Amino acid sequence: MVFRGGRRGRPGLLGTVARTAVVAGTAKATSNAMDRRGQQKAAEQQAYQQQQQAAEQQAYQQQQPAAQSPAPSTGGDLVSKLQELGKLHESGVLSDQEFTAAKAQLLG
């Protein structure tokens, strides 16, 4: 008669510990994978929101100059144009009426 070594039926203490370790390790690996996937989804969503905000800002900035009326000339530029008009008026190129009309146009 040949006897087999080992136990029959339920596993011993060592077998139970090993099985528990395998189950716990599998559960932990699954949990870690789910956490990583959740973090990846959150990062993708955040990147998408940042991209949308950047696109909205860009569209807003492009609309701003079109929505505003043309800005008047800067102070230095306005002064130089008025000086040019004065010189043209003094030299006789512009009449009094033309000078007044051009000056009014520059000043708004």
Side-chain angles (χ1 to χ4, degrees), residues 4-28:
R4 289 187 179 185
R7 295 181 55 132
R8 288 186 169 233
R10 290 195 256 163
L13 182 60
L14 190 57
T16 303
V17 170
R19 181 179 295 143
T20 303
V22 168
V23 170
T26 303
K28 184 66 175 168

Side-chain angles (χ1 to χ4, degrees), residues 18-104:
R19 181 179 295 143
T20 303
V22 168
V23 170
T26 303
K28 184 66 175 168
T30 303
S31 175
N32 287 344
M34 290 174 63
D35 288 344
R36 280 193 304 272
R37 179 65 182 142
Q39 290 172 352
Q40 183 181 9
K41 277 183 141 181
E44 288 172 358
Q45 187 174 10
Q46 184 179 9
Y48 176 76
Q49 288 174 349
Q50 288 175 347
Q51 183 182 15
Q52 291 300 319
Q53 288 175 349
E56 288 174 5
Q57 280 183 338
Q58 186 179 14
Y60 179 74
Q61 289 173 352
Q62 288 176 351
Q63 290 174 355
Q64 283 300 84
Q68 295 176 352
S69 62
S73 301
T74 60
D77 192 32
L78 180 63
V79 171
S80 66
K81 287 184 179 182
L82 286 173
Q83 287 174 346
E84 279 184 49
L85 281 176
K87 288 178 186 176
L88 290 173
H89 179 64
E90 287 175 4
S91 67
V93 175
L94 293 177
S95 67
D96 290 336
Q97 291 174 346
E98 290 172 333
F99 173 72
T100 306
K103 185 170 108 178

